[in-house]
Amino acid sequence: MRVLQVVKTALVLWLAALLPAAAQEARPNIVLILADDVGFSDFGAYGSEISTPNIDALAARGTLFSNFHASPICAPSRAMLMTGVDSHLAGIGNLPESAPPEHRGQPGYLGRLADDVVTVASRLGAAGYRTTMTGKWHLGHDETSLPPAHGFARSFALDASGADNWEKKTYLPIYDDAPWYEDGKPANLPDDFYSSRFLVDKTIEYLEESKDQGRPFFSYVAFQAVHIPVQAPREFIEKYEGVYDEGWDALREARFLAVIERGLLPDGMALGAMPEGLRDWNERSEEEKRFLAKSMAVNAAMLEAMDFHIGRLVDYLKETGQYDNTVFIVLSDNGPEPGDPTATPGFSQWLWWTGYARDYETLGEKGSYAFIGPEFASAAASPGAFFKMQAGEGGLRVPLIVAGRGIAREGTTSAFSYITDIAPTILDLAGVAATPDFGGAPVREMTGRSLAALLRGDAGRVRGETEAVGIEAAGNAALFRGDHKLVRNARPYGDGQWYLHDLARDPGETRDLSEAEPALLAEMMAEYEAYAARVGALEVPDGYDQTAQLTTNRVNDQLAEKWPVLVLIVLALGGLVWAGIRFGPRLWRG
């Protein structure tokens, strides 16, 4: 059935190429830029000290969203971004690598896009768009799950949660290598590879080779910045050395004040609390502080390098006369990454074994391995609480900027929006209908709402006060309704309990309203349970730890894959032992 789906998609794309050129030229080009693990206040336009002039320029000529949310985990966010359908209905309710064994294979946890969902690329391709994709895919591993099977005519995709930014090299021991594919076939990387530069180079290459077809394009650029390992060219790193010497508390406060000054969040709100148990900057040694500040400098440099290469793509579109007819959408897949891989036993040894170093002088450069940890991640999410892999605002509320043809210069909108809204918005802007069938087969209806009316300045919001939106990933859960949010943060940073917050007055989630408004709490709990049942969101087992499950799943998968060889080895060893016992004494007496 899945092979048939691939054939149907290819046929639809071929037929679309035959559409009259005049019909194609009336539609806008669309560039979808996805940053990885970028926090709410990480872009300059959102109050950051990091230089992102090209992204900021897009914000200045379009609409900046201050109340946009994603999943707390990358793969579910990417599934919703591509399909406009809730992550469980799309088949990717959790990070595939860390799903509990009892969830694996269930409808909401297939680890790939479900057969009855269709991507925005497939729909646009069927309507005559040229479609390209570069960067992290992470939506399934076999050939029927890669970008060519989901509407992308050209693609250079990473089929993993991350990889090295300087060479074809894995970044975690759960992977054997860095699986890059061009147009669905295994691919190598050039000797001068740096992820952000290469992904823009490839995008330009794909657009250039089809520029004379007279058709609009949809280009999806999924950067690795700023996912672990945090890496950047030295010339960018040097700009930020010394910037973070005051530590994470000072940065959280500075970001908080900058966000308020820009009017992105309400004046008078309280800064979200850092999770309990994190380190105290003032108790770090001077050597530790120096290394931690350098790590954050590398993170900032990686983000600026991404922005620099986005500028190269913008320049190319201007030089080729395509810029004025292009809509840009820039967002992040979730909040900042808090992980410290070296806290896992054996990881430092694995780094040494694979040739990674953590020397101060070369941190961020080729061969190095850097990350910012939970404290600086909390600062990057400021003013929100928590970060990636948690359902607090720091993990869910991320930047979104939309600019270009037909987009009003609205400045900032505080309308609630969700990552499922992006696909229907793109289709709306392109004048493509989200039909209930595709390629002759019925498909799931999108759960997201188009933001087009809001972007044109014709509406102030796209959802009513009583319309609820649910989120669940790895036991972290939330339900948004009007100004209120019901939330549960799983361990290790949360306590697994439900809380109720008024985000209009308290985006930092500092005041729990559960006792003050028990009726509202009960209503929203019932709505969450209905949502979970509707989409197939399963409860994680007691004691579930997402990071630990990554390792456990890897070991179990390896054993399942190699058990015949292990059985032969055991039998061979058993035979040798038996032979030694049976014949050894006779041979010795010999």
Side-chain angles (χ1 to χ4, degrees):
M1 180 178 176
R2 296 179 64 201
V3 174
L4 182 60
Q5 180 185 14
V6 174
V7 173
K8 285 181 178 179
T9 299
L11 179 60
V12 167
L13 292 174
W14 177 75
L15 291 171
L18 303 179
L19 291 176
Q24 306 294 352
E25 291 171 357
R27 296 174 174 178
N29 304 313
I30 297 167
V31 174
L32 177 61
I33 295 172
L34 183 65
D36 202 330
D37 297 350
V38 167
F40 179 76
S41 57
D42 265 338
F43 293 150
Y46 281 81
S48 179
E49 73 292 341
I50 301 172
S51 177
T52 56
N54 295 294
I55 292 172
D56 298 350
L58 292 175
R61 64 186 288 257
T63 300
L64 182 152
F65 287 70
S66 64
N67 196 11
F68 175 73
H69 294 77
S71 164
I73 301 173
C74 58
S77 282
R78 290 159 196 269
M80 292 188 280
L81 179 67
M82 285 290 97
T83 67
V85 175
D86 179 88
S87 58
H88 304 85
L89 296 176
I92 305 181
N94 194 347
L95 191 72
E97 292 86 346
S98 62
E102 51 266 57
H103 289 186
R104 285 176 147 193
Q106 295 296 319
Y109 304 88
L110 301 174
R112 60 171 175 82
L113 291 178
D115 295 336
D116 60 352
V117 297
V118 59
T119 68
V120 64
S122 291
R123 290 191 183 275
L124 289 174
Y129 271 74
R130 297 174 283 153
T131 54
T132 75
M133 184 272 166
T134 58
K136 177 174 157 182
W137 178 244
H138 204 201
L139 295 176
H141 304 301
D142 59 42
E143 64 180 17
T144 61
S145 298
L146 293 171
H150 289 289
F152 288 100
R154 297 303 315 271
S155 61
F156 204 107
L158 172 65
D159 177 32
S161 61
D164 192 273
N165 294 281
W166 290 109
E167 52 190 319
K168 193 175 187 293
K169 183 176 180 179
T170 183
Y171 82 111
L172 286 178
I174 64 170
Y175 299 112
D176 293 325
D177 66 354
W180 285 95
Y181 295 86
E182 185 164 29
D183 300 330
K185 297 179 176 61
N188 289 315
L189 302 176
D191 292 338
D192 64 347
F193 174 79
Y194 178 69
S195 63
S196 293
R197 178 180 64 237
F198 178 79
L199 298 180
V200 168
D201 284 348
K202 270 293 173 183
T203 298
I204 293 174
E205 174 188 321
Y206 294 156
L207 294 179
E208 187 67 13
E209 68 186 17
S210 61
K211 68 178 181 179
D212 296 328
Q213 294 182 8
R215 298 188 291 143
F217 66 80
F218 168 60
S219 287
Y220 173 35
V221 188
F223 286 97
Q224 290 174 238
V226 284
H227 194 283
I228 289 177
V230 179
Q231 298 166 319
R234 177 184 285 268
E235 61 267 28
F236 289 99
I237 297 172
E238 289 174 344
K239 294 177 60 175
Y240 294 95
E241 291 182 351
V243 171
Y244 301 103
D245 289 354
E246 296 301 313
W248 41 71
D249 294 314
L251 181 60
R252 288 183 76 236
E253 183 69 22
R255 293 274 191 98
F256 171 48
L257 294 175
V259 164
I260 299 302
E261 181 181 343
R262 283 164 174 75
L264 300 178
L265 292 176
D267 191 10
M269 69 164 284
L271 174 61
M274 289 181 72
E276 293 183 7
L278 300 190
R279 295 171 291 184
D280 186 331
W281 178 263
N282 295 323
E283 293 180 2
R284 302 302 97 202
S285 69
E286 290 305 311
E287 183 178 353
E288 280 183 290
K289 290 179 180 178
R290 183 169 174 260
F291 193 87
L292 290 164
K294 176 68 176 288
S295 299
M296 191 61 184
V298 175
N299 181 83
M302 190 177 186
L303 192 58
E304 183 178 339
M306 181 193 81
D307 179 85
F308 172 82
H309 292 292
I310 289 173
R312 291 178 48 235
L313 177 57
V314 169
D315 288 344
Y316 164 77
L317 295 176
K318 287 180 177 178
E319 291 164 3
T320 54
Q322 302 177 85
Y323 176 78
D324 291 337
N325 190 41
T326 301
V327 173
F328 296 86
I329 302 171
V330 184
L331 71 156
S332 176
D333 61 345
N334 45 244
E337 168 64 68
D340 175 357
T342 60
T344 301
F347 192 85
S348 294
Q349 290 74 19
W350 179 83
L351 287 178
W352 173 83
W353 180 261
T354 52
Y356 277 117
R358 283 179 49 75
D359 301 327
Y360 176 88
E361 293 300 329
T362 59
L363 196 66
E365 299 176 42
K366 188 173 183 177
S368 73
Y369 196 104
F371 51 87
I372 64 174
E375 297 84 6
F376 269 126
S378 185
S382 180
F386 294 96
F387 26 59
K388 178 182 176 178
M389 297 185 182
Q390 307 288 162
E393 288 296 278
L396 304 183
R397 191 182 295 231
V398 293
L400 169 64
I401 294 165
V402 185
R405 176 183 154 180
I407 307 301
R409 294 174 180 262
E410 288 294 297
T412 300
T413 176
S414 61
F416 175 83
S417 50
Y418 189 41
I419 197 164
T420 53
D421 299 339
I422 302 301
T425 301
I426 290 173
L427 295 180
D428 207 344
L429 294 173
V432 176
T435 55
D437 62 278
F438 185 81
V443 295
R444 281 199 180 273
E445 182 181 358
M446 291 185 177
T447 57
R449 297 294 185 87
S450 172
L451 304 173
L454 190 153
L455 293 168
R456 289 192 295 262
D458 297 334
R461 60 192 307 160
V462 297
R463 288 179 175 85
E465 286 287 342
T466 59
E467 185 174 350
V469 175
I471 298 174
E472 191 281 331
N476 296 280
L479 185 99
F480 295 88
R481 194 182 78 175
D483 292 338
H484 290 90
K485 176 187 178 185
L486 179 71
V487 63
R488 178 183 67 190
N489 283 291
R491 300 184 189 281
Y493 296 106
D495 59 9
Q497 302 301 307
W498 290 98
Y499 296 90
L500 180 64
H501 299 288
D502 180 351
L503 295 185
R505 298 169 180 80
D506 182 28
E509 299 173 291
T510 61
R511 297 187 298 276
D512 177 30
L513 303 178
S514 298
E515 292 186 7
E517 300 194 49
L520 180 59
L521 175 68
E523 282 180 28
M524 294 185 68
M525 279 297 308
E527 286 186 287
Y528 175 78
E529 290 167 1
Y531 154 77
R534 185 170 64 252
V535 303
L538 304 177
E539 288 294 309
V540 297
D542 291 340
Y544 171 77
D545 181 290
Q546 188 176 20
T547 301
Q549 195 68 53
L550 278 169
T551 303
T552 302
N553 286 350
R554 172 61 172 171
V555 171
N556 291 340
D557 290 346
Q558 287 285 327
L559 289 174
E561 180 182 331
K562 298 177 180 178
W563 72 266
V565 175
L566 294 175
V567 169
L568 289 175
I569 292 173
V570 170
L571 289 174
L573 290 174
L576 289 172
V577 171
W578 178 83
I581 294 173
R582 179 73 176 79
F583 300 109
R586 187 180 305 172
L587 292 171
W588 178 76
R589 288 195 302 270

